[in-house]
Amino acid sequence: MGFILVVALLAGLAGTVGRAAMDADPKAGSAVFEATCSDCHSIKPGRHKSGPSLFGVTGRTSATAEGFAYSDALRNAGVVWTPERLDSFITNPKALVPQTKMRFSGLPNPQSRADLLAYLETQK
Amino acid sequence: MQRVRLRRYSDLLSLPRVVARQPFALNRPVFHLRDRRSHRVILAFILLLAVGISNASALPSFSRQTGETCDSCHVGAFGPQLTPHGVRFKLGGYIDSDNKPGHLPLAAMLVANLTHTADPQDVTLLPSHASSNNNLAVQEVSGFVGGQIYKHLGAFAQGTYSGIERSSALDNVDVRLANEINIGGRPALVGISVNNNPTVQDPFNTTPVWRFPYVSSDFAPGPEHAPLIDDGLAGQVMGITGYTLLGNGIYAEAGAYRSLSEGVLNKLHVGAETRVSGVAPYGRVAFTRDRGGRSYSIGAFGMTARTLAFGDTGPGDRSTDLGLDGHYQFLGSRRHVLSVDSSFIHESQSLSTTTPGIEASLRQFNLSTSYHFAKTYGLTLRHFNISGSDATAASNGWTMQGDWTPFGKESSFAAPWANLRLGLQYTSFHTLNGETAGVHGSNSVMGFLWLSL
């Protein structure tokens, strides 16, 4: 009986964590963007910094934001920025595009990434 | 007996470096404009860098070069307090850019202030055009060349006109060659800095050149004693250091400084009575972490140098400075930013030439805490304490500053051209140069306007 209770509690806890990770919050993602991305990226259309504007980035093909001078690595990558690809890139940019010039070691927290992606999804 | 020195802009000009118990030396006759050829040397140096930058189609100011606004690299959207992003830009050699050509390779800065001291000052120690109190001045006008020169080569070079001294001089110079490489599968930033002031190349706001207060009045009294590494060789030397930032953790730097010749210093309008004998080794190590919304570092730095007067021979006076420093910065989503910066420097002096057989020591402690709201409103509080084997070295007190920085953000008016900071700074002494009686008369209030374009 005790064993079943522990298993049930663990299962419930896992379910809670799983749901929390999926409950992406765009508002929280805005804070993540400000803290993590805004030094190099703007969310305004056509406003490029050392990185391209991230307005409308979700679903966009890599290296296609007009007016930004991309590295050869990203121009040749031909990646479509689906949420899954963006999540992979933000986790470890150089793992997906080894020669990218983006100086960012990655965002390890899954919840932060989910929130950020939810926020970027709203910017289009 | 301890070596003492002036601690204001005048250090860069033709003032003697050893002035005992002299709170003001702005009207000293040793400073005067030199011939026009000297100005041409400074101008040629600036233009040489500018031409290099133009040829590389790089940018004049860092902001225009990167397309980023000031708040990306600076706490409170105004220099020189760096964010972790600013630290990486500096260590990266000032070369990051948006890869667009055609930006102007020049920037300018102006600092004007109004200084009030609790008691009127002795006018014989002030410039002839100054009053005993409530002095209004355009203290500094600086021109900068900064940015990518060619591929991995970048520069930060400053020439400054002093409205107090009414002359110009070559100010801070930091030319870097930097690149990112992989060491053992981990990214490492490696570089070389050629610079003219120990710690001007340091990436943290804990070491002497770039720590708070970032602007201070040349009319206000201040401590006369400071370790040699605290601007004691500013502009008088040229040094080369190699550095690396391993991953997101270890920063290490080593190099050496050597005095410029008296002739070159004269041409650059840099005042110096003493020179470094041989070379002065310099070293720096720090453990630093950038964790997104917060960062911290803890480290050590040091330099040892023998100094003696130009024309003199002998072993010289040995000064060995060892410092410990650390900082913590909470950035969060940048709406509320808190920074704590601290350093402690111990100097051992062996005055073999000026007073043979005398050993002396000096200790300098600084702790500053700043809070910035919405990248616009800033409050900073600093405690300083200087003590030494000579009782006259003792100075301690507080500096408080409130400031307003209306521009410098992505949504700001005329970004990134318009940059302004207005501030009020109050300095209070408990002890000043060994004196406690009547020292409150030296307390000062400075209102300032700081503009950069």
Side-chain angles (χ1 to χ4, degrees):
Chain A
M1 182 65 186
F3 175 76
I4 294 171
L5 186 62
V6 169
V7 169
L9 282 172
L10 287 174
L13 183 63
T16 302
V17 170
R19 278 195 302 277
M22 288 188 296
D23 289 341
D25 178 3
K27 191 176 177 185
S30 172
V32 174
F33 179 84
E34 286 298 321
T36 312
C37 315
S38 65
D39 287 337
C40 302
H41 297 280
S42 172
I43 208 66
K44 290 182 180 176
R47 171 76 172 87
H48 304 308
K49 300 183 176 180
S50 56
S53 167
L54 295 184
F55 179 82
V57 66
T58 308
R60 190 164 74 195
T61 303
S62 63
T64 56
E66 196 172 334
F68 185 77
Y70 286 92
S71 65
D72 289 341
L74 269 174
R75 266 201 299 270
N76 297 330
V79 174
V80 176
W81 293 124
T82 61
E84 294 74 24
R85 282 287 177 84
L86 277 173
D87 184 69
S88 172
F89 188 64
I90 295 167
T91 304
N92 184 356
K94 289 190 188 303
L96 186 67
V97 185
Q99 299 302 315
T100 180
K101 292 195 295 185
M102 188 160 105
R103 281 184 182 162
F104 181 58
S105 56
L107 190 60
N109 187 314
Q111 185 63 57
S112 296
R113 290 200 306 273
D115 292 340
L116 177 61
L117 293 177
Y119 172 68
L120 292 176
E121 188 80 40
T122 65
Q123 302 300 309
K124 54 174 63 174
Chain B
M1 174 182 177
Q2 283 174 311
R3 187 186 329 95
V4 294
R5 63 182 188 77
L6 293 174
R7 304 209 53 232
R8 44 179 59 92
Y9 171 78
S10 314
D11 282 354
L12 291 171
L13 305 176
S14 299
L15 288 169
R17 289 205 42 75
V18 181
V19 183
R21 304 181 60 74
Q22 183 80 8
F24 288 100
L26 301 175
N27 62 339
R28 298 177 70 83
V30 288
F31 178 80
H32 48 80
L33 287 170
R34 292 199 166 83
D35 59 75
R36 289 178 180 276
R37 283 182 303 171
S38 308
H39 293 281
R40 285 201 291 269
V41 169
I42 296 172
L43 189 62
F45 181 84
I46 298 287
L47 286 177
L48 187 64
L49 290 170
V51 166
I53 287 170
S54 298
N55 287 343
S57 297
L59 307 178
S61 74
F62 302 144
S63 180
R64 287 185 284 275
Q65 174 171 298
T66 58
E68 298 163 3
T69 42
C70 302
D71 59 319
S72 293
C73 289
H74 296 291
V75 173
F78 205 98
Q81 195 174 3
L82 293 177
T83 63
H85 187 67
V87 167
R88 287 200 69 89
F89 176 76
K90 180 173 183 176
L91 294 179
Y94 310 114
I95 61 171
D96 290 352
S97 81
D98 62 2
N99 296 319
K100 291 180 183 173
H103 300 280
L104 284 172
L106 300 171
M109 179 184 85
L110 180 147
V111 178
N113 54 24
L114 174 63
T115 307
H116 171 80
T117 49
D119 291 344
Q121 303 297 307
D122 182 351
V123 289
T124 63
L125 300 174
L126 294 170
S128 58
H129 56 85
S131 304
S132 61
N133 210 339
N134 304 320
N135 281 289
L136 178 65
V138 176
Q139 184 166 294
E140 292 181 24
V141 179
S142 291
F144 295 86
V145 171
Q148 186 181 38
I149 295 174
Y150 183 71
K151 291 187 177 178
H152 299 287
L153 182 66
F156 170 91
Q158 178 182 9
T160 297
Y161 171 81
S162 167
I164 310 293
E165 308 293 349
R166 296 187 171 172
S167 185
S168 56
L170 183 65
D171 211 327
N172 294 311
V173 174
D174 178 22
V175 180
R176 290 174 184 261
L177 186 66
N179 197 9
E180 279 195 66
I181 61 173
N182 276 304
I183 297 178
R186 299 184 62 192
L189 193 56
V190 295
I192 295 169
S193 166
V194 176
N195 64 80
N196 68 346
N197 189 0
T199 75
V200 74
Q201 78 280 23
D202 198 70
F204 304 113
N205 291 101
T206 53
T207 48
V209 173
W210 299 116
R211 74 183 172 209
F212 183 83
Y214 311 119
V215 61
S216 55
S217 173
D218 282 358
F219 287 111
E224 297 168 4
H225 295 250
L228 188 68
I229 200 170
D230 182 1
D231 272 356
L233 300 176
Q236 305 169 30
V237 292
M238 195 56 74
I240 182 167
T241 61
Y243 63 90
T244 183
L245 177 64
L246 294 171
N248 185 15
I250 303 293
Y251 175 70
E253 180 185 3
Y257 290 84
R258 191 177 179 88
S259 274
L260 296 170
S261 73
E262 197 170 14
V264 171
L265 291 174
N266 286 339
K267 288 187 186 304
L268 297 175
H269 287 184
V270 176
E273 281 197 337
T274 59
R275 63 182 172 86
V276 173
S277 176
V279 297
Y282 172 90
R284 167 54 146 159
V285 64
F287 176 75
T288 179
R289 276 288 163 92
D290 171 14
R291 294 196 177 276
R294 56 196 165 90
S295 71
Y296 59 87
S297 73
I298 184 166
F301 56 96
M303 183 181 75
T304 182
R306 285 189 181 276
T307 56
L308 70 169
F310 279 105
D312 280 3
T313 57
D317 294 339
R318 167 74 72 183
S319 296
T320 300
D321 294 348
L322 290 172
L324 298 173
D325 71 306
H327 93 273
Y328 174 80
Q329 201 170 66
F330 173 80
L331 294 129
S333 61
R334 305 296 173 91
R335 188 160 178 80
H336 304 280
V337 176
L338 176 74
S339 295
V340 180
D341 299 276
S342 186
S343 67
F344 172 78
I345 302 173
H346 179 272
E347 180 172 272
S348 301
Q349 299 177 356
S350 178
L351 309 178
S352 308
T353 298
T354 52
T355 49
I358 297 295
E359 303 283 329
S361 65
L362 192 65
R363 294 171 294 280
Q364 183 195 65
F365 174 72
N366 278 275
L367 172 65
S368 65
T369 303
S370 68
Y371 167 72
H372 286 81
F373 174 69
K375 307 176 184 177
T376 302
Y377 306 97
L379 280 172
T380 307
L381 178 65
R382 169 215 187 200
H383 173 63
F384 57 91
N385 194 329
I386 303 163
S387 61
S389 50
D390 185 334
T392 64
S395 292
N396 58 71
W398 298 85
T399 302
M400 288 158 274
Q401 179 177 305
D403 50 63
W404 176 55
T405 307
F407 309 127
K409 279 78 74 175
E410 192 176 328
S411 57
S412 296
F413 164 76
W417 291 88
N419 299 287
L420 170 70
R421 174 167 283 180
L422 297 173
L424 197 63
Q425 187 184 97
Y426 175 68
T427 300
S428 169
F429 297 103
H430 299 304
T431 308
L432 180 60
N433 302 316
E435 303 285 350
T436 53
V439 74
H440 297 303
S442 295
N443 294 352
S444 62
V445 178
M446 174 186 69
F448 67 87
L449 177 151
W450 193 353
L451 183 69
S452 66
L453 299 170

